[in-house]
Amino acid sequence: MPQLNGGGGDDLGANDEMISFKDEGEQEEKISENVSAERDLDDVKSSLVNESESSSDSEAERRPQTRPDTESYEKARDYFSEALRRQQDGGFFKSPHYPGYPFLMIPDLTNPYLSNGSLSPSARTVSPPHLLQPSFPPPYLQMKWPLLDVPGSAGLKDSRSPTPGHLSNKVPVVQHAHHVHPLTPLITYSNEHFSPGTPPSHLSPEILDPKTGIPRTPHPSELSPYYPLSPGAVGSIAHPLGWLMQQQGQPMYSIPPGGFRHPYPALAMNASMSSLVSSRFSPHMVTPPPHGLHQTGIPHPAIVSPAIKQEPSGDMSPSMHARKSPVPPKKEEDKRPHIKKPLNAFMLYMKEMRAKVVAECTLKESAAINQILGRRWHSLSREEQAKYYELARKERQLHSQLYPGWSARDNYGKRKKRKRDNKPDSKPEGERKKLFYFQVRPFTLFISFLH
DNA sequence: GTCCCTTTGAAGTAG
DNA sequence: CTACTTCAAAGGGAC
């Protein structure tokens, strides 16, 4: 795919997207929701023609899907997306303002990262070289918005990779009154707590040292359990999403209301933490995880327990208390938690916008919603898309830091093979439903247009 | 209960 | 290197 600006060598991946954006062509101006809707309507018109001609049904592609096997953090994300929606009465496109969350306003004074205002110097030496962002700055850990590439915060940007034009400082720097990152809802996965002043009890700053039994200041990692760090890197990795982890130990990745759903066990869990979560973890987590579990043992949301996947209904059942009831070692693959892929820019965008689109359209079918989202995605301005690309990049970076050995390949084959004999451009199998979607879309888009 | 659909993007595989 | 495949989210629909 052609790239607008030659790529710039940035790993942001935003470059890629600009392509599609350019492909869309004409729409370079700031896109309003109405414009988007109009475009959708236009598309529908042409689509109706295109779709009708290809209504042959060939079920060629039966794609297996992951079912909600990892609801823990997804729901957390949704929670915030929902919260965002409530706060935002206006449309996302109408207003660039992304209301934030109060708890993000309050720096976590107990967090060493903040207390000293900088990250441990060793951070860069610990992080995998390929993940290191030479200039990945402490500012991230100081509640700076990762996407706010304002001139004054040059350190925020990866110095080694010139900022692409579309990702440059042009990114709207909306310093919201409440210092909330616009994209907070995208990656603030906690679905559990939302009250600024009441940190979860299990995240209480006062933690007993497992060795001494003396209350101590919790390690930053313990306060930010959503990001299990790799052994040896705990507390030293420059968290790419540090800005999300500041408050109250509110992790980006949530702890499900019912507790830790997946059996990924605590490794070097301290006494107080382990007492809270131990019962939910399986025994095989005694040894340091190859992919860097956080010391708290709280798994990254991307981790999906195979057990959960296979037995969705029994997430909190006693069977989960594997620690006390030793289970026969499962197969190798079963042992390993299912670490999901980090979300890409579009996925992040979808997560944020889905609820809004659904509300607008009174449509719930994801397939139809996704079609709309896909079009809206293309109608986004560069700056808007850049936000998501940047966010996605950080997600990937974080993911790779958390799971150094993880590869997307690991998840291959976990789903049933889908028959994809047909070529990308020929999608006969979907036309049947597509027809339906496009019958619905005009109404959907009309509603959207009214907004 | 499971899989499909649909979208884009990242990353993997195959040739 | 290119082309293709898989998976990530989502939830109603189909079976």
Side-chain angles (χ1 to χ4, degrees):
Chain A
M1 288 173 78
Q3 302 207 347
L4 268 188
N5 53 12
D10 197 336
D11 55 350
L12 282 180
N15 300 333
D16 294 343
E17 125 218 29
M18 289 310 115
I19 304 151
S20 55
F21 183 80
K22 189 173 184 179
D23 289 343
E24 288 292 314
E26 55 302 349
Q27 315 291 337
E28 286 289 341
E29 76 289 357
K30 170 103 181 151
I31 306 298
S32 69
E33 194 165 345
N34 287 348
V35 171
S36 177
E38 289 181 31
R39 290 191 57 210
D40 281 348
L41 284 170
D42 291 339
D43 292 338
V44 169
K45 293 175 185 174
S46 59
S47 296
L48 285 173
V49 176
N50 296 334
E51 309 308 330
S52 58
E53 67 184 8
S54 57
S55 57
S56 64
D57 182 356
S58 85
E59 291 302 324
E61 186 175 347
R62 307 200 71 76
R63 304 160 61 180
Q65 280 289 333
T66 47
R67 281 323 290 180
D69 44 18
T70 53
E71 300 176 20
S72 56
Y73 78 100
E74 291 90 348
K75 288 190 176 180
R77 287 181 173 179
D78 293 344
Y79 178 90
F80 283 93
S81 292
E82 181 64 20
L84 174 68
R85 244 186 346 115
R86 291 201 206 100
Q87 294 187 25
Q88 272 189 301
D89 294 326
F92 283 85
F93 297 104
K94 288 177 181 174
S95 169
H97 303 285
Y98 292 78
Y101 306 108
F103 65 80
L104 283 174
M105 298 169 53
I106 308 169
D108 184 357
L109 297 180
T110 64
N111 189 332
Y113 287 160
L114 293 176
S115 63
N116 58 18
S118 65
L119 187 63
S120 167
S122 63
R124 292 186 179 83
T125 64
V126 178
S127 302
H130 65 288
L131 297 175
L132 288 179
Q133 302 242 350
S135 320
F136 216 68
Y140 271 112
L141 299 174
Q142 298 176 14
M143 299 300 290
K144 296 269 186 165
W145 313 129
L147 305 181
L148 301 180
D149 293 319
V150 295
S153 58
L156 281 173
K157 209 63 192 176
D158 187 347
S159 61
R160 105 197 132 183
S161 55
T163 302
H166 62 284
L167 288 178
S168 67
N169 300 334
K170 288 183 178 180
V171 173
V173 178
V174 182
Q175 270 296 18
H176 305 286
H178 300 297
H179 287 227
V180 179
H181 191 279
L183 298 179
T184 294
L186 291 178
I187 44 187
T188 307
Y189 301 103
S190 176
N191 60 339
E192 180 174 29
H193 317 286
F194 204 62
S195 56
T198 58
S201 59
H202 62 281
L203 291 177
S204 169
E206 186 167 290
I207 298 175
L208 292 180
D209 186 303
K211 294 180 180 178
T212 65
I214 301 172
R216 57 178 175 79
T217 301
H219 189 281
S221 64
E222 293 166 347
L223 293 175
S224 303
Y226 284 70
Y227 294 96
L229 301 177
S230 356
V234 174
S236 58
I237 291 179
H239 197 299
L241 294 172
W243 55 279
L244 283 172
M245 305 171 54
Q246 302 307 314
Q247 292 311 316
Q248 317 289 336
Q250 286 287 350
M252 164 192 298
Y253 297 106
S254 71
I255 300 169
F260 304 107
R261 299 191 53 163
H262 78 72
Y264 218 54
L267 296 185
M269 192 183 299
N270 65 50
S272 67
M273 286 297 290
S274 67
S275 66
L276 287 164
V277 300
S278 63
S279 63
R280 305 197 187 280
F281 293 123
S282 56
H284 57 269
M285 298 317 271
V286 178
T287 55
H291 300 314
L293 238 199
H294 189 281
Q295 280 194 347
T296 61
I298 300 174
H300 186 287
I303 299 177
V304 178
S305 166
I308 291 176
K309 231 184 160 178
Q310 295 164 1
E311 304 171 356
S313 59
D315 60 345
M316 278 318 167
S317 66
S319 64
M320 293 294 284
H321 300 231
R323 187 194 230 190
K324 293 184 177 179
S325 58
V327 276
K330 293 181 179 181
K331 295 177 181 179
E332 179 74 19
E333 56 185 74
D334 288 344
K335 276 186 176 181
R336 294 183 305 179
H338 180 77
I339 300 172
K340 291 190 175 184
K341 295 174 65 174
L343 303 187
N344 63 37
F346 179 69
M347 287 295 156
L348 292 170
Y349 171 75
M350 281 210 321
K351 267 193 164 286
E352 180 182 354
M353 297 302 295
R354 172 177 297 281
K356 178 173 176 58
V357 171
V358 170
E360 290 174 352
C361 305
T362 67
L363 239 185
K364 300 227 168 184
E365 278 190 81
S366 288
I369 296 296
N370 291 349
Q371 284 186 345
I372 295 171
L373 287 170
R375 294 178 185 279
R376 287 194 179 189
W377 172 253
H378 287 297
S379 69
L380 287 179
S381 68
R382 292 183 177 187
E383 289 78 12
E384 287 172 318
Q385 285 191 344
K387 295 177 192 172
Y388 295 94
Y389 280 99
E390 174 72 2
L391 190 58
R393 184 182 68 82
K394 294 189 186 325
E395 285 254 4
R396 290 195 305 273
Q397 185 181 30
L398 174 63
H399 193 278
S400 60
Q401 285 180 349
L402 297 178
Y403 316 108
W406 182 86
S407 166
R409 187 197 334 131
D410 297 346
N411 292 354
Y412 276 34
K414 299 248 175 126
R415 294 176 170 181
K416 288 182 180 178
K417 299 278 185 182
R418 78 209 234 200
K419 307 173 189 175
R420 178 166 290 229
D421 338 44
N422 56 320
K423 295 191 176 181
D425 54 336
S426 63
K427 305 173 184 175
E429 81 291 346
E431 303 306 340
R432 171 171 43 95
K433 277 202 169 184
K434 234 179 180 178
L435 208 55
F436 165 74
Y437 294 139
F438 281 97
Q439 288 169 347
V440 177
R441 281 196 68 197
F443 171 75
T444 307
L445 294 169
F446 174 71
I447 298 298
S448 185
F449 180 81
L450 292 179
H451 284 252

